[in-house]
Structure formats: structure tokens, C-alpha cells
Amino acid sequence: MSNSLSQHAIAPAKVLRGPGAWVQGIPQIAGLCQRPLVLGRSAATTQLRQQLLEDLQAADLEPQIAELQYDCCEDDLFLIAAICQERGCDAVVAIGGGKVLDAGKLLAHRLNLACITVPTSAATCAGWTALANLYSPEGAFLGDVALDRCPDLLIFDHDLVRQAPSRTLASGIADAMAKWYEASVSSGASGDGLVQQAVQMARVLRDQLMLEAVLALKDPHGAAWERVAEACGLTAGLIGGIGGARCRTVAAHAVHNGLTQLEASHGRLHGEKVGFGILVQLRLEEVLGGNQLAGQSRRQLLPLFRQLGLPVSLEELGLAKAGLHQLQQACVFACRDDSDLHRLPFAVAPNDLLAALVSTCSSERQPA
């Protein structure tokens, strides 16, 4: 490890997890603020957010409501920041999926307000992290923003998360598994002790998910569901916090970022695109890096992803009708100069990536 200083935003100041965590968390919210901005987006969670709003009002708080029109997008953030200041809000309570949580964190960061995250699914670890991804109004990934700190309070209520469609948990499983496949490439040879430990935690997380993912989806009221949901929503974030900026994403997330440039992919969840990106990264390691173990890993993941209902091909991502020019456009974005894809130990050109995109399912039973 070099002597350069490392800064880590490792975890929320406080995490409440388990069934009934929301109710237990209301006094904690009241200790942080009096007039919180309650931020949400999805029509599917409107009724749920209304109930949580009433719970805050019953605790003598004065919650103010704001709704996102887009993903975590500057167009929204500018308008909502003005609302927040006009109404004298002293905290942001973000209730929803990853993009809502990112928007809430970024808003709180910019306005120097207390931040409370309340995930309504286990599709990502966004409720935990000191990072926000920015998107265009059309839903295309633009870049990420590092925040000063993790949220002040994360409420991971099993009862709220369990209401989400099973598809969201499958998406979270893919996103969490990417921690190992990416960190082992970017940081596997690191001499930094914390980074080494984060990489090993990612390996243990991957192993647990491979063992329990299918069971968790089959029985949302079982112990395996609790372990898997918390692995996706909490542990994955902890790994990122401990590993810090040196334990980075690689090609799986770069593929996601490229695919978001195509409108046809916008119906797919973040983790679904990242999971496909894992397969693409392994294909690149196999073909360009000559890594036979990567080929074995890819063939091992394919049946698991299919069992979980995760897309494993461009067709299943809704890109069957995407033209060659569109796919090349996505690959050029994924391969731009500052892309994390270049953390791979070999050069990747857009045409190399395009070949991997279309061949993730190939040679499933053939030697690499």
C-alpha cells in the first residue's frame, strides 16, 4: 500500500433492520429533524408512502412531500432543492428504490441536511452508500457523484421490502454478486489490508447468494429471504464502504452504463443490466484474457441467472430489435476513456465489447 491518504465513508451512522423497523425508527427520525422532505417516485409505492407520511404526522412531525419525475436527474434535483429551501425542510427522507435513494442522498448532501433512507426493495445497496448515480431525463447514465458521508439513518424494514416484486430481489442478487466479479479484478492484488478484506467479503457474499438465492425467491417469509435481502441491501454497501474508491466497479457496471444509453433497455432494472454485465465481463476475460476459469464461472452463472429470471442475452434485455449502430453506440459509451471497464488487465475496444455482448450465452457446455 502507498502512503497516500485514503478516505472511507463506510456506513450509515445508524442502521435499523428487521420487521417493524420503520415504526421503531420514527423516534430516531424525530431526533434528526422536525420538517423532513419525504421524497418518492413510483406509482406502485404511492399508497405505502402515504401511510408512512401519516405515521410521521402522528409523531408530531411536519413532513413535506416531493415526487421525482425522472431517475436521479438534475432536472428534478434543481426543482426539489428549491422546494426544500422554500418550505424550510431540515432533512430528506427518501423512500423507494435505488434511484430515489440516490436522489435523496444527493439532495441532502448538496443542502447539508440530515439524510434518512428507507428502501422499499432489496434491488440495490443504494440505501447504504455515499454515492449517487446521475441520469439524463431520458434515463441514460451520465456519471456518479461521491458524497461526503453515508446516510444518517437507514431503515431496512423487512415488511416494507417484502412487499416488492420478487424481480427486484433477483436484481439485487445480481448487483451484489457483481461486487466479487469486479473487485477481484480491480483489487484482487491490492496490498491494502482493508481492500483485501473487502474483496474477501465480496467472495463470501457471492458464495452465500449462490447457495441461497433460489430458496430466498421461493419463500419470501423464510430465513433465507432475510439473509439474502440484507446481503443485497446492506452487506453489498458495507463492502463498498470498506473497500472505498480503490475497490471499484469494472466491466459489469460499465456494460450497465452503456446499455442505459439505449431507450429499449430502460424497462430493465439496474441489477438486471449489471447481472448481464457480469456475464459480458467474464466473456471478455475468457476471450481476450485467455482465462479459462472465467469461462467456467460464466457457464456456472448462466443456469442460476435463468432460475432467478435474470436476463442473460440482449434479446432478454429487450434489445432484440436494437440495430448494430445502437449497440455500437452503447459499447462506445461503455469504453469511453474514463470508464471503469479499463480496469480489466487487458485492452478492450468497442468492437471487442460488442462481440462479447452477443456471445454471453455461447459455448455453455464447450471448453473455453
Side-chain angles (χ1 to χ4, degrees):
M1 177 183 172
S2 69
N3 292 323
S4 60
L5 182 69
S6 293
Q7 181 172 317
H8 298 255
I10 292 178
K14 187 167 288 187
V15 177
L16 296 179
R17 62 188 179 99
W22 166 256
V23 172
Q24 297 298 318
I26 292 174
Q28 312 259 5
I29 296 174
L32 290 168
C33 60
Q34 174 60 34
R35 197 175 175 83
L37 182 82
V38 176
L39 186 66
R41 180 188 179 193
S42 169
T45 61
T46 299
Q47 188 173 348
L48 172 64
R49 281 185 281 120
Q50 180 60 35
Q51 178 58 57
L52 302 189
L53 187 78
E54 292 171 7
D55 291 342
L56 295 175
Q57 291 169 334
D60 294 327
L61 297 178
E62 302 170 45
Q64 307 296 305
I65 305 171
E67 293 213 352
L68 297 169
Q69 299 301 310
Y70 308 106
D71 295 337
C72 183
C73 172
E74 291 289 11
D75 289 30
D76 272 336
L77 291 167
F78 178 79
L79 294 173
I80 294 173
I83 291 170
C84 212
Q85 292 172 311
E86 286 169 9
R87 298 183 185 176
C89 295
D90 52 1
V92 177
V93 179
I95 302 171
K99 294 181 176 72
V100 171
L101 301 175
D102 275 1
K105 291 183 299 182
L106 187 50
L107 197 62
H109 166 81
R110 290 176 172 175
L111 299 178
N112 196 27
L113 300 177
C115 179
I116 298 100
T117 51
V118 187
T120 55
S121 80
T124 72
C125 60
W128 183 288
T129 60
L131 192 72
N133 290 331
L134 276 172
Y135 293 81
S136 73
E138 294 75 33
F141 175 85
L142 298 177
D144 54 44
V145 181
L147 311 178
D148 289 339
R149 67 184 196 277
C150 296
D152 298 284
L153 175 63
L154 163 57
I155 300 177
F156 194 83
D157 189 318
H158 292 181
D159 296 328
L160 298 182
V161 174
R162 193 177 279 114
Q163 293 179 40
S166 61
R167 177 187 173 191
T168 62
L169 183 56
S171 175
I173 290 165
D175 197 34
M177 290 182 78
K179 293 288 184 192
W180 161 251
Y181 293 100
E182 294 186 295
S184 61
V185 170
S186 71
S187 309
S190 173
D192 183 318
L194 272 186
V195 173
Q196 289 176 345
Q197 290 145 29
V199 173
Q200 291 310 309
M201 285 177 66
R203 179 182 57 80
V204 172
L205 174 62
R206 187 276 314 261
D207 291 349
Q208 181 190 14
L209 293 174
M210 293 193 81
L211 286 170
E212 297 200 300
V214 174
L215 179 58
L217 258 67
K218 284 182 178 175
D219 182 10
H221 296 280
W225 181 92
E226 293 185 357
R227 288 191 292 269
V228 168
E230 290 194 339
C232 299
L234 306 180
T235 311
L238 175 61
I239 291 167
I242 292 174
R246 299 184 183 189
C247 193
R248 298 293 295 274
T249 58
V250 188
H253 276 81
V255 167
H256 161 275
N257 299 341
L259 291 176
T260 66
Q261 308 305 307
L262 306 182
E263 185 179 355
S265 77
H266 293 172
R268 285 295 182 175
L269 300 176
H270 170 86
E272 291 176 332
K273 288 184 278 244
V274 170
F276 178 72
I278 295 173
L279 300 175
V280 174
Q281 176 178 314
L282 290 170
R283 185 67 172 158
L284 289 169
E285 293 179 59
E286 177 185 4
V287 175
L288 297 184
N291 184 344
Q292 291 192 0
L293 289 177
Q296 292 173 13
S297 294
R298 182 176 59 85
R299 290 187 290 274
Q300 181 184 33
L301 282 179
L302 279 166
L304 174 64
F305 279 11
R306 287 183 172 126
Q307 277 186 283
L308 298 175
L310 291 166
V312 299
S313 68
L314 289 172
E315 291 75 18
E316 291 175 13
L317 278 166
L319 296 170
K321 295 181 180 178
L324 184 60
H325 176 71
Q326 288 180 300
L327 294 175
Q328 285 175 329
Q329 173 193 347
C331 291
V332 167
F333 185 91
C335 292
R336 69 198 192 284
D337 289 346
D338 62 347
S339 172
D340 287 342
L341 179 139
H342 300 302
R343 295 178 182 275
L344 287 167
F346 45 81
V348 180
N351 284 344
D352 298 321
L353 181 57
L354 180 59
L357 284 180
V358 300
S359 63
T360 54
C361 298
S362 68
S363 308
E364 289 181 46
R365 295 180 180 84
Q366 304 300 319

